[in-house]
Amino acid sequence: MQTQLVAENKSLGQTPKDPNHERRALDAIVRAATEIPFYSKRGGVARGDTLAQTLSGMPILFKKDVRAALPKAWVTKDRDTRAELLSGSLELVETSGSTEERLRILWDKGWWLRQEARAMRTNSLVARAMDSVGSPYKEAILTTPVCGGGVCHTGDLTFDERLDEPHLFLNMRPDPTFWAADDMTRMLDELARHQTVGLEADPAYLAALAEHAHQQGRKIEVGGFVQLTYAQTTQAHLRSIRRAYAGPIFQLYGASEVGVLFMQGEDGWLHHAPLTTHVELLRVKVPTPGSVDVALVVVSTLDRAAQPLLRFVVGDLVSVANEATARFTTVPSLRSVEGRLQDAVVRPDGAIVTCAAIDRALAKIEGLVQFQLQQREPSAVEIDVVARGDVNADVKRALEPLLHGVRLEVRSATAIAAEASGKFRVVRRSFPIDVQATFEAAES
C-alpha cells in the first residue's frame, strides 16, 4: 500500500482545482442514497435541480445513527463485508473518540493515504516537499500510539519495527505527560536518522517534545514542513514548538470518518480539499463572542464506495473566511478551526464561546504552557493552568470579558492529563447542546 502511494505521489505537483465539484458531488450523493441499504431503507433521496436543493431535503446524520447500523448496511448488496474484511479489501477503523464513544468505520483499501496525500498537495510548498527532488519523501508521525481497531506501535519497538516505508511512527507511549527524558531524546535522534521531510503531529505532543529539545539545546530536525492535526492547536502549543523549530507550520483539518476536509495554504487560509468530500457550513444562530462567522461542519463523502456518509455532523466548529477566494471547489475557505462543539463553553445567556476564542483571549500570556477549562454547569468554569511562573491572575483577567456571567476559578496545575483517546481537550463541558436549535439549516 505504501509503495503504491509513493509511486502515485512521484512528481504529481500541486492538486488541481475541481471545476465540476457541484455536479460530481450531487451524482455521488444520489448514488449513495440509492445504492447503500442504510439510506435506501430510509427512503433514499428526492433529487433536486441543484446540490443545495437535494441536501436540504435530507436529514443530518449523527454518530449515534451510524453506530446503530451493522457493517453490511454500509455497502452495496452485492458485496460480502465479512469476506472483504478478511481479504483486506475493506478496512475496519475505530475512531479515537475524544469527546464521544468511539465509532467503527469502513474504509476502502488504501483510501485514507490516497485522499490525505491529495489534500496535502493543495499546498504548493508541501507538494514540492513531497516530491523531494533527488530523494524520496519521508514522513514522521507524532501522536498517540492508540489507533485503528486496537493498539499499534506501543511498548518497546525498534526503529525498524516502527518504520512503514516512508512513514516513521515516533511515539510508543499513550500520554506525553509520562514521557521520560530518554523517550524524547530518542525521538529527536530518530527524526535526524530518518531524515524526515514532513512531520505530522498532534500539537500537544510536538509542544512537549519541543520543550525538551529546547532544554537540551537541540532543534526539531525536519527538512520540509510540519503539519498539525489530530487535536486543537493553541498559541501556547505554537510558542513551545517555535522554541525548537523555525520551519513552515501548517494546519491540516480532517476526521477519520470522512477524510481530510481542509488544508492550510501558504496564504494562511484553510482551503477545501477536492474530490473527497462536500462540506456544508451551517451558520450558528446564537452569539459567539470572540469569534466571527462561526459554522458547524456537516460532511458528505464523495469518493468512498464503502460507508459513504451523507450530511454527517463531524462535531466541529469553524470560522468561515468570507473574504478569501475558494481555491479548489465551491466550498468556502476557513479562517480557523474553532474546536469541537462539545468543547465550547455555553454561557448562561446562550452564547457559545469556542475553544479558539478562549485561546485567542489567552494568547498574549507568555508564561502559559497548557490549560484546560471544565464546565459542569452554565454558570461556572474551573480553569487548570500549567505555566512558567504565576499567571493565574492574568488568565482570569483575560477571560472575564469573554465569559460574562460565568464564575471563574483559576487553579495552578503541574500537568493536564490526556483523554483515554490520547488527545488533549482545551475545554470539557459536561452538559449537551441542542444542535438543531443552534444552527441554521439543521432543522431538517
Side-chain angles (χ1 to χ4, degrees):
M1 181 190 307
Q2 306 284 14
T3 304
Q4 179 185 0
L5 177 64
V6 173
E8 289 175 351
N9 283 341
K10 191 62 178 176
S11 300
L12 288 178
Q14 188 173 15
T15 298
K17 184 174 182 177
D18 178 14
N20 299 312
H21 171 76
E22 297 264 331
R23 176 54 54 183
R24 199 173 49 75
L26 178 57
D27 292 342
I29 288 167
V30 171
R31 183 169 58 251
T34 304
E35 298 178 358
I36 300 298
F38 177 85
Y39 301 110
S40 60
K41 289 179 180 178
R42 294 185 166 199
V45 60
R47 180 167 183 160
D49 293 333
T50 67
L51 175 61
Q53 289 171 341
T54 298
L55 290 170
S56 68
M58 299 171 61
I60 56 177
L61 186 68
F62 294 95
K63 288 186 179 182
K64 61 182 176 62
D65 304 316
V66 177
R67 194 177 294 117
L70 296 173
K72 65 180 181 180
W74 293 108
V75 298
T76 55
K77 293 181 179 179
D78 60 330
R79 299 180 66 174
D80 185 335
T81 52
R82 179 173 296 182
E84 292 193 46
L85 285 168
L86 288 173
S87 70
S89 297
L90 285 177
E91 301 174 3
L92 184 62
V93 180
E94 192 171 79
T95 65
S96 60
S98 56
T99 60
E100 295 185 50
E101 293 180 17
R102 293 185 177 188
L103 186 64
R104 289 191 170 186
I105 294 291
L106 293 173
W107 285 353
D108 302 301
K109 182 179 179 180
W111 167 78
W112 181 269
L113 293 174
R114 289 192 298 271
Q115 59 83 34
E116 182 183 45
R118 186 168 62 228
M120 290 166 64
R121 285 180 175 279
T122 60
N123 181 306
S124 60
L125 185 151
V126 170
R128 291 193 299 271
M130 292 177 74
D131 287 335
S132 297
V133 177
S135 63
Y137 174 64
K138 296 180 180 180
E139 181 176 299
I141 297 169
L142 180 61
T143 184
T144 172
V146 179
C147 60
V151 178
C152 58
H153 308 115
T154 58
D156 293 300
L157 304 178
T158 67
F159 178 92
D160 289 337
E161 287 172 324
R162 288 177 282 107
L163 189 63
D164 190 357
E165 296 198 14
H167 295 91
L168 171 65
F169 295 86
L170 291 167
N171 181 33
M172 294 182 283
R173 305 286 181 260
D175 187 340
T177 306
F178 300 103
W179 279 348
D182 288 348
D183 287 329
M184 292 182 280
T185 297
R186 170 190 58 76
M187 287 187 270
L188 293 174
D189 292 342
E190 288 182 350
L191 282 170
R193 174 183 173 185
H194 182 240
Q195 297 181 310
T196 298
V197 175
L199 173 61
E200 179 174 286
D202 182 305
Y205 285 65
L206 184 55
L209 183 62
E211 288 283 356
H212 173 76
H214 177 75
Q215 292 167 9
Q216 300 298 312
R218 298 183 61 176
K219 297 296 181 183
I220 302 290
E221 295 190 41
V222 174
F225 64 94
V226 165
Q227 64 182 21
L228 300 177
T229 186
Y230 301 111
Q232 187 74 13
T233 301
T234 68
Q235 292 301 309
H237 291 149
L238 290 173
R239 276 197 299 271
S240 292
I241 293 168
R242 284 305 188 193
R243 300 182 93 188
Y245 175 73
I249 299 177
F250 300 106
Q251 296 285 331
L252 179 145
Y253 165 48
S256 299
E257 300 93 339
V258 293
V260 177
L261 303 175
F262 294 84
M263 175 71 186
Q264 189 175 29
E266 321 87 281
D267 58 0
W269 306 117
L270 287 104
H271 298 287
H272 179 235
L275 305 179
T276 304
T277 65
H278 176 69
V279 177
E280 298 171 79
L281 300 168
L282 307 187
R283 302 304 178 111
V284 69
K285 296 192 291 188
V286 299
T288 56
S291 302
V292 296
D293 299 318
V294 174
L296 180 71
V297 176
V298 175
V299 182
S300 296
T301 60
L302 308 181
D303 66 343
R304 283 225 306 262
Q307 198 158 13
L309 297 176
L310 305 182
R311 301 203 79 201
F312 179 71
V313 179
V314 179
D316 295 321
L317 299 175
V318 296
S319 173
V320 182
N322 295 312
E323 65 270 43
T325 301
R327 280 190 172 182
F328 302 98
T329 74
T330 56
V331 176
S333 299
L334 305 181
R335 180 178 295 103
S336 61
V337 178
E338 294 287 301
R340 305 285 293 175
L341 175 60
Q342 189 56 37
D343 288 351
V345 170
V346 177
R347 298 195 324 194
D349 61 3
I352 293 174
V353 184
T354 69
C355 294
I358 292 165
D359 180 53
R360 286 189 288 268
L362 301 175
K364 293 183 180 180
I365 303 178
E366 289 290 336
L368 186 61
V369 175
Q370 198 174 9
F371 64 92
Q372 185 181 76
L373 281 71
Q374 299 265 4
Q375 187 182 26
R376 296 180 173 85
E377 57 179 292
S379 61
V381 164
E382 302 159 359
I383 311 161
D384 292 319
V385 170
V386 179
R388 291 183 289 272
D390 185 1
V391 301
N392 289 12
D394 294 333
V395 168
K396 186 171 184 178
R397 190 160 44 246
L399 290 180
E400 280 178 335
L402 195 62
L403 301 179
H404 179 72
V406 178
R407 185 174 68 256
L408 307 180
E409 179 186 354
V410 183
R411 308 179 298 202
S412 296
T414 56
I416 293 172
E419 303 294 306
S421 65
K423 295 182 181 180
F424 290 83
R425 292 171 66 184
V426 177
V427 175
R428 302 180 84 250
R429 193 181 72 245
S430 302
F431 54 92
I433 189 169
D434 187 341
V435 172
Q436 293 176 316
T438 307
F439 298 92
E440 294 178 356
E443 292 83 357
S444 63

